[in-house]
Amino acid sequence: MYGAQLIEALRRRNPSLQFFGVGGERMRAAGCEIVVDAKDLAVVGITEIISHLPKILGLYRKLIRAADEKRPAIAVVIDSPAFNWRVARQMKKRGIPVVYYVAPQFWAWRQGRVRLLRKYIDKALVIFPFEEKFYRDRGVDATFVGHPLADLPAPAITREAYAAQHQIDAAKQWITLMPGSRVKEVRMNLPTIMESAAALGTDYEFLLPLAPVLDADILRTLTRTLALVGPLSIHFVPDALPALWHSRAAIVASGTATVEAAMMSTPFEMVYRVSPLTYFLGKPLVKVPYFAMVNLIAEEEVVPELVQHKFTAENVVRELNKIIPDGEPRTRMIERLAAVRARLQGSGSGAHPSETAAEIILKMIG
């Protein structure tokens, strides 16, 4: 999504530009030649990545070969630090300037890896306000451009039209379920999310958006396998934003989806689970007080965080029952989510972050 926005912003300024690299359907639609499909790199977790290393290394080499053939004027790497710092290193060796858009969250853990950015990155374009100082203090040329989701407009479709389109009962309250965008995440998070939905009961309609980088058939199969769908009303929908906008509340796995929920002003709780070994190895390395991006930006707990052993159906339902009904907890959360959105707006120039990023990149190209 971020790559597609950036490509469109660059093309508005220079229609002759050509793009190739790693991406999905949105980047392909924006005009990027997809050398490596993002679905094939959608792996999370320390132990999980190890089993996928041969495949990932093969795709990495394929991308480098394409760069050698095409000799790009500039390389823009987006997020995915384990993969992208290696790409950046190879580009730097070849004399190709490198921009890191959506810089890695080295402030959260493995802070020593900032040295990789100093060594291989010419410019870091960061999307969280506190990141600019963090990276500049450590010798990285960083600029806060704003979060690409910060000015998402409310979906135009009405609740009634959306209900008719997806056969959803408009008379009931809706809950959006977002278990993650990677198969491993879904396998870890979805069972407890479904158990929570079953405990909430048939008074609600449950909406399950299909992540663009996740095979829809896998998600449907997992849902059927859980054998909890019977008495529940589960609706698979193509886009998260309308689902969030029209939902009373949401259960959201940690990640970008939490920012999407915040931008839609939807009260939610953050959940997450990884393998016990990944959690055991990773937890001591975490350098921040919160897991949810919304809480990190606000510097306080805006949304509850149910991680690992705290992520139980009982806890999920208890927290949802605080924010579904009208009252002070729901009102306070909505107000704090609005404050988070304001912090993510960027420079205040009115330009979308991708437009600001495009201007910086074009200046670097000359």
Side-chain angles (χ1 to χ4, degrees):
M1 178 175 57
Y2 300 155
Q5 289 177 345
L6 182 60
I7 289 169
E8 290 161 359
L10 285 163
R11 278 212 158 136
R12 280 192 285 272
R13 288 159 176 77
N14 185 346
S16 69
L17 291 174
Q18 295 180 327
F19 305 84
F20 71 96
V22 180
E25 290 305 315
R26 288 175 176 171
M27 282 178 61
R28 183 179 282 111
C32 182
E33 177 190 342
I34 301 301
V35 176
V36 174
D37 196 300
K39 286 182 182 178
D40 295 328
L41 297 177
V43 182
V44 66
I46 297 168
T47 56
E48 294 81 357
I49 286 174
I50 292 172
S51 64
H52 288 78
L53 269 180
K55 178 181 179 182
I56 292 171
L57 287 170
L59 295 171
Y60 161 77
R61 295 186 183 111
K62 181 180 180 182
L63 180 65
I64 301 306
R65 286 196 301 270
D68 286 337
E69 293 170 6
K70 297 174 184 292
R71 298 297 302 174
I74 198 164
V76 181
V77 292
I78 303 175
D79 203 5
S80 304
F83 185 85
N84 275 331
W85 80 259
R86 291 172 171 83
V87 174
R89 179 177 63 186
Q90 293 300 323
M91 297 302 100
K92 195 73 171 178
K93 284 183 179 179
R94 290 156 172 78
I96 298 167
V98 182
V99 174
Y100 214 127
Y101 185 38
V102 189
Q105 297 169 9
F106 289 152
W107 39 265
W109 72 315
R110 305 176 86 177
Q111 293 188 359
R113 290 218 155 188
V114 172
R115 71 183 186 280
L116 299 174
L117 295 192
R118 283 198 305 267
K119 190 171 183 179
Y120 301 121
I121 301 298
D122 296 281
K123 183 73 177 181
L125 304 177
V126 300
I127 64 172
F128 298 110
F130 55 83
E131 292 180 314
E132 185 176 88
K133 183 178 188 302
F134 172 84
Y135 280 116
R136 286 188 174 183
D137 286 350
R138 289 158 178 80
V140 177
D141 182 4
T143 299
F144 172 53
V145 296
H147 198 292
L149 300 179
D151 61 353
L152 281 175
I157 190 168
T158 65
R159 192 173 188 274
E160 291 72 22
Y162 192 73
Q165 187 177 50
H166 298 289
Q167 291 78 54
I168 307 170
D169 187 348
K172 294 182 178 181
Q173 292 182 329
W174 303 351
I175 308 291
T176 292
L177 312 176
M178 301 187 73
S181 59
R182 302 171 177 91
V183 173
K184 182 67 176 184
E185 286 180 319
V186 173
R187 290 187 190 279
M188 298 298 288
N189 296 323
L190 187 60
T192 306
I193 290 177
M194 294 290 289
E195 186 182 349
S196 305
L200 285 167
T202 55
D203 290 341
Y204 299 95
E205 295 277 87
F206 298 97
L207 281 53
L208 213 167
L210 300 171
V213 296
L214 184 67
D215 189 322
D217 289 337
I218 292 175
L219 188 57
R220 289 190 172 95
T221 300
L222 282 171
T223 307
R224 285 196 300 268
T225 303
L226 290 169
L228 291 170
V229 182
L232 298 176
S233 186
I234 302 286
H235 302 271
F236 293 96
V237 295
D239 299 308
L241 296 182
L244 288 166
W245 177 250
H246 292 301
S247 286
R248 185 68 178 177
I251 306 170
V252 184
S254 180
T256 300
T258 63
V259 179
E260 290 180 314
M263 296 307 101
M264 294 296 100
S265 302
T266 305
F268 70 98
E269 54 188 291
M270 189 221 82
V271 300
Y272 208 68
R273 182 178 288 117
V274 293
S275 70
L277 180 57
T278 293
Y279 187 78
F280 173 77
L281 294 174
K283 183 67 169 67
L285 303 175
V286 175
K287 305 296 184 183
V288 290
Y290 302 110
F291 288 97
M293 195 59 65
V294 167
N295 293 340
L296 286 167
I297 296 161
E299 300 179 272
E300 63 174 329
E301 187 173 285
V302 174
V303 302
E305 300 183 352
L306 303 178
V307 177
Q308 213 66 5
H309 63 279
K310 293 182 180 178
F311 178 22
T312 65
E314 181 182 6
N315 287 342
V316 170
V317 172
R318 185 180 65 250
E319 294 297 335
L320 276 179
N321 284 334
K322 295 177 184 177
I323 59 175
I324 289 175
D326 289 327
E328 195 271 337
R330 178 179 178 84
T331 301
R332 183 174 68 250
M333 185 179 290
I334 291 172
E335 289 173 349
R336 289 177 175 176
L337 292 177
V340 167
R341 179 171 186 150
R343 284 195 177 195
L344 290 178
Q345 291 292 342
S347 63
S349 65
H352 189 274
S354 62
E355 302 287 344
T356 306
E359 291 286 355
I360 293 170
I361 290 167
L362 287 176
K363 285 179 182 176
M364 292 179 65
I365 295 174

